[in-house]
Structure formats: structure tokens, C-alpha cells
Amino acid sequence: MISMNINEIRASFTAIKATIQSKDERTDIRILHKSYSLQDTEPVDRCCFLRHLLRFYLATVFNHCKASSPLVSRKVSSIANAFLSIKKELRLCNEVSMCHCGEDVKHKCGQILSQYEKMDVASASLKALGELDILLDWMDKAD
């Protein structure tokens, strides 16, 4: 289920990637660092970390994303809907297997939020949206 959604998300993101990234003026900050990637998370914590990342994008990034065109708006909506589907699957997984959420996950999520909060909301949302390819790569490798 997650793999199928990643391909759909990647296709939607690819259609708007150049537009989104060209508007990102804050090249001095990264929200998603390799040092706290999904691959560097203990396997037992990955479900929890991914749920937190999806929640962050759904509640924070997409809610503050200002679409520059109808195409961008449609693609962001499509990505958000795919994230909701994945999040629902992870919630079911959590209910069955009780996903573990260790201190490392809390620390990584705190680092991501800290980077996001260094910018104004519009710039931060644009930055996080432009870094979706990083998140998708993490999800591909962790799947």
C-alpha cells in the first residue's frame, strides 16, 4: 500500500517540483536532514517516525501551503490525500502491533520542527514541500 502511494506521490511531486523549488529563497536551511532520516531510525521506531512526519506534513505544511497555480493546488491536494491514506494504514498497524515511539523519534521530530520554525510559515511550508523528494526517498528505502 505504501509503495503504491509513493509512486503516485512522486508523480504528483515531479509535476510541481521545479516550480516549488524555484520559489524557495532559503537555501541556508534544510528541514529534512540526512542525519535524522528514516533509515537512521531503529526499525522498531520507523512506524512511529513516519506517522509523525506525515502528521507534520498534513497538519502543518499542507495547511500553510499557498498554491501558485491551479496545477500546484491539485498536485498538493493529491499528495495530501495520499499521505492521509498512508497515515490511516500506519494507524491500523499501530493498533495491531503497538508501534514503539522512542526518545530518538521525539528528538528527530523536534529537530524537524525546530528547523521549520526558524522561518516564517509561508517560507517554511514552501521549503518542506520542496523537500518532499527527500521524504519520498526515505520512505522508499525504509519500505
Side-chain angles (χ1 to χ4, degrees):
M1 178 72 179
I2 291 175
S3 293
M4 184 171 67
N5 281 326
I6 289 175
N7 293 332
E8 293 170 17
I9 296 167
R10 197 176 293 280
S12 291
F13 178 66
T14 299
I16 61 172
K17 179 179 178 178
T19 301
I20 297 295
Q21 291 180 346
S22 70
K23 295 180 185 316
D24 181 8
E25 297 174 354
R26 294 299 306 265
T27 56
D28 58 320
I29 295 176
R30 289 194 77 94
I31 294 173
L32 301 177
H33 281 275
K34 289 181 181 179
S35 63
Y36 43 81
S37 74
L38 207 50
Q39 289 75 35
D40 294 336
T41 304
E42 292 297 319
V44 70
D45 287 334
R46 286 183 184 162
C47 173
C48 177
F49 188 39
L50 184 54
R51 275 187 331 154
H52 281 285
L53 286 169
L54 294 176
R55 186 180 308 143
F56 166 73
Y57 269 87
L58 288 166
T60 308
V61 177
F62 298 139
N63 278 344
H64 295 103
C65 183
K66 303 282 188 257
S68 59
S69 72
L71 172 69
V72 171
S73 182
R74 282 193 311 274
K75 296 301 181 181
V76 169
S77 180
S78 173
I79 294 166
N81 286 333
F83 274 25
L84 276 171
S85 295
I86 294 169
K87 190 173 167 238
K88 286 178 186 175
E89 290 293 317
L90 290 174
R91 189 181 72 230
L92 292 174
C93 171
N94 181 48
E95 290 171 2
V96 172
S97 63
M98 300 304 287
C99 281
H100 178 71
C101 228
E103 287 301 315
D104 185 46
V105 169
K106 293 174 188 170
H107 176 73
K108 289 177 182 184
C109 291
Q111 293 286 9
I112 290 169
L113 194 56
S114 172
Q115 290 297 100
Y116 184 88
E117 291 173 344
K118 287 180 180 178
M119 298 176 270
D120 66 88
V121 173
S123 297
S125 293
L126 185 69
K127 166 74 71 187
L129 188 60
E131 291 183 0
L132 261 179
D133 53 345
I134 297 168
L135 176 58
L136 296 174
D137 288 345
W138 290 357
M139 292 167 68
D140 259 346
K141 292 175 183 170
D143 193 22

